[in-house]
Amino acid sequence: MAEVITMPRLSDTMTEGKVAKWHKKVGDKVKEGDILAEIETDKAVQDFESEIEGTLLYVGVEEGSAAAVDSVLAIIGNEGEDISGLTGGAAAPAAATEEKKSEDQPKAETAAPAAAEVPAGVEIITMPRLSDTMTEGKVAKWHKNVGDTVKEGDLLAEIETDKAVQDFESEFNGVLLKQGVEEGGAAPVDSVLAIIGPAGTDVSAVGAPKAAGQSTEKPAEQKAEAKTEEKAAPVASSSSSDRVAISPLAKKMAQDKGVDINSVQGSGENGRIVKKDIENYQPSAKPAASAPAASAAPVAVSFVQGEDTETPNSQVRNIIAKRLSESKFSAPHYYLMVEINMDKAIEARKEINSLPDTKISFNDMIIKATAIALRKHPQVNSSWAGDKIIHRGNINIGVAVAIPDGLVVPVLKNTDQMTYTQISASVKDMASRAKSKGLKANEMEGSTFSISNLGMFGIETFTSIINQPNSAILSVGAIIEKPIVKDGQIVVGNTMKLSLACDHRVVDGATGAQFLQTLRTYLESPLTLLL
């Protein structure tokens, strides 16, 4: 009998899983213990093994897609077995999709002739997107009324966006046949703003759906035509007067782009510079009129416009964003900073590393000192739980590790009981496996305190966001050689800055300060760790 395999909960914080890779395909034989798929959780990518023997009859989640915990991941049973009753609604959506496609097809076919209903010579102008965050625009003022003659470059209206009020010019010649938005009214981007065409043309049947269709294709065609016309048309002679004929919008665009309007040839009426002239302006086409002008040209020519790109978020990145946002906005953070004299710690490390087969880092020493300090200040090793505070019995320190997808925090269990060499070996092993996605979810659970070290990148001081359910996180900066005062004398010393972010619901200021004082003592006098 076929068995339904659901998306497993591979960590205590996991709500959905992403199938990073399928190792079996529908129709493949599956044995108990075979790896079915690689599941990407909010913490790691883990192999998921089958506990059932049979044939893979159904895959509920496509490779690269995510699904909620306990949803159908796969179905295994006997070859040829009917599983229609087990897939539930899984088959239905597929059928519904096909039905939807078949329903959409006639709509597309009927929508196509709609473009033919737009009378010849009529141009539909849609609400422009004048800023990257604009979703709708408001017509602050109409400069043309229905029935007025409109020329290319004339101001049609003033459009109020989410950032400013901008002049909107016409790119067409004709008569304003319709205003799609009343003065003072607002409309979504790409909805009908105005219709321009030959006088007396009936445009009552032209509606918003057709405008949407026009907005996706017309602008590209118009720009192409404009470029063609610009190349073919003779260059209009500019006025000998110092005053340059230019529309307000084109002038603003020229200022924003650093374009010298005296070098732009206008394509509007009587050589007037309009919006498209600034958009299509090429500095290389500028004639070398004088030495000062020529010297400015190479700066503009060397500029290359960049292109925006997109990268889909991984499951790890999405969870990092969610967890850090929840922590920052739910836990009242405050920060304590202290500067440590690391001279004795440097000497102690040299002595320890002089021993055979021993190699520890300053980070290992900080982790060890932090663990011992937490033993003396258990309140810092606690968690907020709504109506109570949980005092953790074990000291488990999470060490932040940077990976290509973001940041993971492998946990050193019972850190206070580990030696320097054990800490060093564990950190190196988990950091290596974290970068190769080899960590298990249980190796990133159960932390009671976290440490983030950016000193290796030369960062002197910074603050971190608490890794909940911890109530504090220690940020470690770089060791800097600089002048310090010692025994009343200015000498060269090595200092390091630590920043402690605390959840004020659990750790009061005095408690956090006392913890840092103890940690400072351990690092400035490493022998005290033996007491």
Side-chain angles (χ1 to χ4, degrees):
M1 182 177 176
E3 295 284 347
V4 176
I5 299 173
T6 58
M7 177 65 73
R9 187 183 302 276
L10 299 176
S11 74
D12 53 353
T13 56
M14 177 178 171
T15 57
E16 68 175 11
K18 179 179 179 181
V19 177
K21 183 179 180 181
W22 278 103
H23 285 267
K24 297 290 184 180
K25 298 178 181 179
V26 173
D28 287 356
K29 297 292 183 182
V30 180
K31 295 181 180 179
E32 185 176 353
D34 283 355
I35 297 177
L36 273 182
E38 295 176 16
I39 306 295
E40 183 178 347
T41 73
D42 56 334
K43 295 181 176 179
V45 178
Q46 298 191 42
D47 293 336
F48 181 66
E49 300 178 355
S50 173
E51 298 179 354
I52 304 167
E53 292 190 0
T55 301
L56 183 59
L57 303 175
Y58 176 78
V59 169
V61 185
E62 295 182 1
E63 191 169 290
S65 299
V69 168
D70 295 332
S71 59
V72 177
L73 176 65
I75 298 179
I76 295 177
N78 298 321
E79 187 174 355
E81 187 175 352
D82 181 15
I83 58 169
S84 57
L86 297 177
T87 56
T97 303
E98 294 300 325
E99 291 175 7
K100 186 175 180 181
K101 286 182 180 177
S102 62
E103 288 174 3
D104 289 345
Q105 188 64 29
K107 289 180 183 178
E109 292 172 359
T110 56
E117 295 176 8
V118 178
V122 170
E123 299 290 348
I124 299 173
I125 300 173
T126 58
M127 177 65 73
R129 187 184 301 276
L130 300 176
S131 76
D132 53 355
T133 57
M134 177 178 172
T135 57
E136 69 172 14
K138 179 180 178 181
V139 177
K141 182 180 180 181
W142 278 104
H143 285 270
K144 296 290 183 180
N145 297 318
V146 174
D148 288 354
T149 299
V150 179
K151 295 181 180 179
E152 184 179 0
D154 283 355
L155 289 182
L156 271 183
E158 295 177 15
I159 307 295
E160 183 178 346
T161 73
D162 56 337
K163 295 181 178 178
V165 177
Q166 298 188 40
D167 294 334
F168 181 69
E169 300 175 356
S170 172
E171 296 181 358
F172 309 105
N173 295 323
V175 174
L176 183 59
L177 304 174
K178 180 179 179 180
Q179 293 177 343
V181 184
E182 295 181 359
E183 190 168 291
V189 169
D190 294 332
S191 60
V192 176
L193 175 65
I195 299 178
I196 294 177
T201 306
D202 181 14
V203 293
S204 58
V206 180
K210 304 174 189 65
Q214 291 287 336
S215 65
T216 58
E217 298 177 3
K218 276 285 180 184
E221 295 173 2
Q222 291 157 5
K223 286 181 181 178
E225 291 172 4
K227 289 181 181 178
T228 305
E229 290 171 4
E230 184 183 11
K231 291 177 182 177
V235 177
S237 59
S238 58
S239 172
S240 59
S241 169
D242 291 336
R243 179 179 175 82
V244 178
I246 183 170
S247 71
L249 179 58
K251 186 175 183 180
K252 183 178 183 303
M253 290 176 63
Q255 291 173 346
D256 293 342
K257 291 187 175 184
V259 175
D260 180 9
I261 60 176
N262 291 296
S263 64
V264 181
Q265 298 297 334
S267 61
E269 186 177 7
N270 297 322
R272 187 177 189 231
I273 300 173
V274 294
K275 173 185 173 185
K276 70 176 183 180
D277 297 323
I278 303 300
E279 290 179 335
N280 299 328
Y281 174 69
Q282 297 294 332
S284 58
K286 177 181 175 181
S290 61
S295 63
V299 177
V301 172
S302 64
F303 175 77
V304 178
Q305 184 67 42
E307 294 184 1
D308 294 341
T309 59
E310 295 182 356
T311 302
N313 288 340
S314 65
Q315 188 75 356
V316 173
R317 172 62 67 184
N318 284 331
I319 296 300
I320 288 173
K322 181 180 178 182
R323 294 280 186 269
L324 292 182
S325 296
E326 289 174 351
S327 176
K328 187 66 176 178
F329 298 129
S330 64
H333 287 53
Y334 72 91
Y335 305 95
L336 301 173
M337 298 183 186
V338 67
E339 191 169 21
I340 310 289
N341 186 324
M342 293 293 288
D343 288 340
K344 291 185 178 180
I346 292 173
E347 293 176 7
R349 177 173 176 265
K350 286 181 180 178
E351 291 184 14
I352 294 172
N353 285 345
S354 65
L355 299 174
D357 302 323
T358 304
K359 184 71 173 178
I360 68 168
S361 66
F362 288 112
N363 195 52
D364 300 330
M365 298 179 71
I366 293 166
I367 292 172
K368 176 67 174 178
T370 300
I372 303 303
L374 287 171
R375 185 190 293 166
K376 291 195 172 184
H377 301 275
Q379 188 70 16
V380 183
N381 198 54
S382 304
S383 300
W384 178 260
D387 58 346
K388 58 189 175 184
I389 294 175
I390 302 175
H391 304 281
R392 303 296 181 180
N394 295 327
I395 295 173
N396 303 329
I397 294 183
V399 181
V401 175
I403 60 172
D405 284 340
L407 190 74
V408 294
V409 187
V411 180
L412 301 176
K413 303 294 176 65
N414 299 311
T415 318
D416 57 322
Q417 300 175 27
M418 300 174 71
T419 64
Y420 280 135
T421 53
Q422 288 173 330
I423 291 173
S424 178
S426 297
V427 170
K428 289 177 182 176
D429 172 59
M430 290 196 289
S432 175
R433 289 191 290 118
K435 292 175 182 177
S436 62
K437 295 185 177 180
L439 281 178
K440 299 296 183 182
N442 60 4
E443 293 179 301
M444 291 180 283
E445 295 176 351
S447 68
T448 60
F449 187 91
S450 299
I451 295 177
S452 178
N453 190 340
L454 291 179
M456 63 192 74
F457 297 102
I459 303 301
E460 292 187 34
T461 182
F462 67 103
T463 58
S464 303
I465 299 175
I466 297 170
N467 178 35
Q468 291 192 344
N470 302 169
S471 60
I473 182 170
L474 184 69
S475 304
V476 182
I479 297 176
I480 304 296
E481 188 177 42
K482 68 176 187 178
I484 62 172
V485 177
K486 188 174 183 180
D487 299 328
Q489 300 293 322
I490 297 178
V491 297
V492 176
N494 295 276
T495 65
M496 177 182 68
K497 292 181 181 178
L498 300 178
S499 171
L500 182 69
C502 303
D503 183 344
H504 215 318
R505 299 173 300 180
V506 181
V507 182
D508 294 329
T511 304
Q514 290 165 2
F515 168 78
L516 281 179
Q517 284 180 341
T518 301
L519 180 57
R520 181 181 202 164
T521 300
Y522 288 150
L523 290 174
E524 292 188 341
S525 303
L527 290 178
T528 56
L529 287 170
L530 304 176
L531 299 178

